[in-house]
């Protein structure tokens, strides 16, 4: 009885961790989904986007799905332990095992993508710069998206301010101006070529690459923690399943 009670407590601990992790992943997924200002929105305005990179816009759905499933199995594990239901415990084990296998596969894909992200983004350079020089300052949608992106990530253009050379914004009224985000000075209304050159604001390419790599590391670390909890939960659930069968 003492051992059984301890195992039930352990199930609460493991499944509580899984439940909280699921809630966190679900929250991140929802945030990514509703964040219309994400840098990935720029892909909609670029031709010849590599299929591997364009699929990133669907990552929010994956996070939401995984988070929701983790919430369900956390709840299922607690109920199965409390009610001593072999059916619920077996269902819990099977679901956790499936999620475990999916997460392992996902982790491999994530690590592989992190290594090729720079090459994929670098391959977009010509198309992105072409779209900037053709449409920035002319098409409101692309202009607004770039402005929001540069404000949020404190960056300028794809590589630097020269990406705006020859753009409708740059050539407007013959003033040779650049987005104010390309200048470090605060409270300015105009950004000249000299000011942009002096400010030397980092391009959004490097900022995006850093964002992908840093978030990939965080997600991988969280996934490892979840995997450890899942393995422990599966072991405990099977021990409880066997004990309940012995009492019957």
């Amino acid at each position: 009885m003492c051992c059984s009670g301890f195992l039930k407590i352990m199930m609460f601990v493991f499944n509580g961790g899984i439940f909280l992790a699921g809630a966190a992943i679900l929250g991140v997924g929802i945030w990514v989904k509703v964040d219309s200002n994400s840098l990935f929105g720029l892909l909609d305005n670029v031709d010849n986007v590599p299929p591997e990179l364009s699929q990133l816009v669907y990552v929010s759905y994956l996070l939401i799905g995984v988070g929701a499933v983790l919430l369900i199995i956390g709840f299922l594990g607690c109920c199965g332990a409390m009610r001593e239901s072999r059916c619920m415990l077996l269902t819990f084990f099977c679901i956790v095992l499936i999620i475990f296998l999916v997460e392992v596969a996902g982790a491999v894909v994530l690590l592989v993508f992190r290594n090729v992200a720079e090459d994929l983004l670098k391959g977009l350079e010509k198309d992105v710069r072409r779209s900037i020089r053709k449409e920035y300052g002319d098409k409101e949608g692309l202009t607004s998206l770039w402005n929001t992106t540069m404000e949020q990530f404190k960056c300028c253009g794809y590589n630097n301010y020269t990406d705006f050379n020859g753009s409708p914004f740059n050539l407007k009224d013959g003033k040779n101006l650049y987005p104010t985000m390309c200048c470090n000075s605060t409270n300015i209304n105009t950004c000249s070529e000299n000011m942009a050159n002096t400010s030397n604001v980092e391009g959004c390419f490097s900022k995006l690459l850093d964002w992908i790599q840093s978030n990939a590391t965080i997600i991988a670390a969280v996934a490892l923690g979840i995997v450890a909890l899942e393995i422990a939960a599966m072991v405990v659930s099977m021990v409880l399943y066997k004990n309940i069968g012995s009492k019957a």
Side-chain angles (χ1 to χ4, degrees), residues 163 172 221:
D163 293 335
K172 186 176 181 180

Side-chain angles (χ1 to χ4, degrees), residues 180 183-190 195 199:
T180 55
C183 293
N184 284 327
S185 302
T186 58
N187 299 323
I188 59 174
N189 295 321
T190 58
M195 293 172 63
S199 299

Side-chain angles (χ1 to χ4, degrees), residues 45 131 134-146 168:
N45 301 282
S131 70
K134 181 181 179 181
E135 301 177 352
Y136 185 84
D138 182 33
K139 290 193 176 182
E140 183 177 352
L142 181 136
T143 303
S144 177
L145 187 57
W146 266 108

Side-chain angles (χ1 to χ4, degrees), residues 169-186:
F169 181 88
N170 178 250
L171 298 177
K172 186 176 181 180
D173 299 328
K175 294 182 179 179
N176 194 33
L177 298 178
Y178 296 84
T180 55
M181 290 72 70
C182 295
C183 293
N184 284 327
S185 302
T186 58

Side-chain angles (χ1 to χ4, degrees), residues 134-173:
K134 181 181 179 181
E135 301 177 352
Y136 185 84
D138 182 33
K139 290 193 176 182
E140 183 177 352
L142 181 136
T143 303
S144 177
L145 187 57
W146 266 108
N147 288 342
T148 301
T149 297
M150 291 188 291
E151 288 176 358
Q152 288 186 340
F153 287 85
K154 309 300 180 185
C155 58
C156 173
Y158 191 78
N159 288 319
N160 51 48
Y161 75 95
T162 60
D163 293 335
F164 296 95
N165 288 341
S167 66
F169 181 88
N170 178 250
L171 298 177
K172 186 176 181 180
D173 299 328

